[in-house]
Amino acid sequence: MRRSLLSVRSALVLTLALLVGIGAGVLSALAHTAPAQCVLYGVGAFGVAVPFFDHLVGSHTETGEDPDSSS
């Protein structure tokens, strides 16, 4: 059986960050910014979005809490 290259969580985090980076690049292009700056804005937004979504899409196993238990 072949193992997957990325987990589903990692793929989701990277996909969301990629969409944020593309969005930032497109928005800066629509603002008539130089193409090199658009790329830099997109890369910067991607770099900031990865840790944000990594924290946001945290797995419940890291905290040790059971999401089905009601307190």
Side-chain angles (χ1 to χ4, degrees):
M1 184 171 163
R2 296 181 62 185
R3 287 185 12 183
S4 62
L5 184 62
L6 291 173
S7 68
V8 175
R9 180 178 175 273
S10 297
L12 178 65
V13 167
L14 291 176
T15 301
L16 290 172
L18 181 66
L19 290 173
V20 167
I22 290 171
V26 167
L27 285 176
S28 61
L30 291 174
H32 303 292
T33 308
Q37 281 184 315
C38 293
V39 171
L40 289 175
Y41 290 149
V43 169
F46 175 83
V48 170
V50 168
F52 173 74
F53 286 120
D54 183 44
H55 180 73
L56 188 69
V57 187
S59 63
H60 68 280
T61 58
E62 292 175 2
T63 59
E65 296 175 0
D66 185 12
D68 296 329
S69 66
S70 58
S71 299

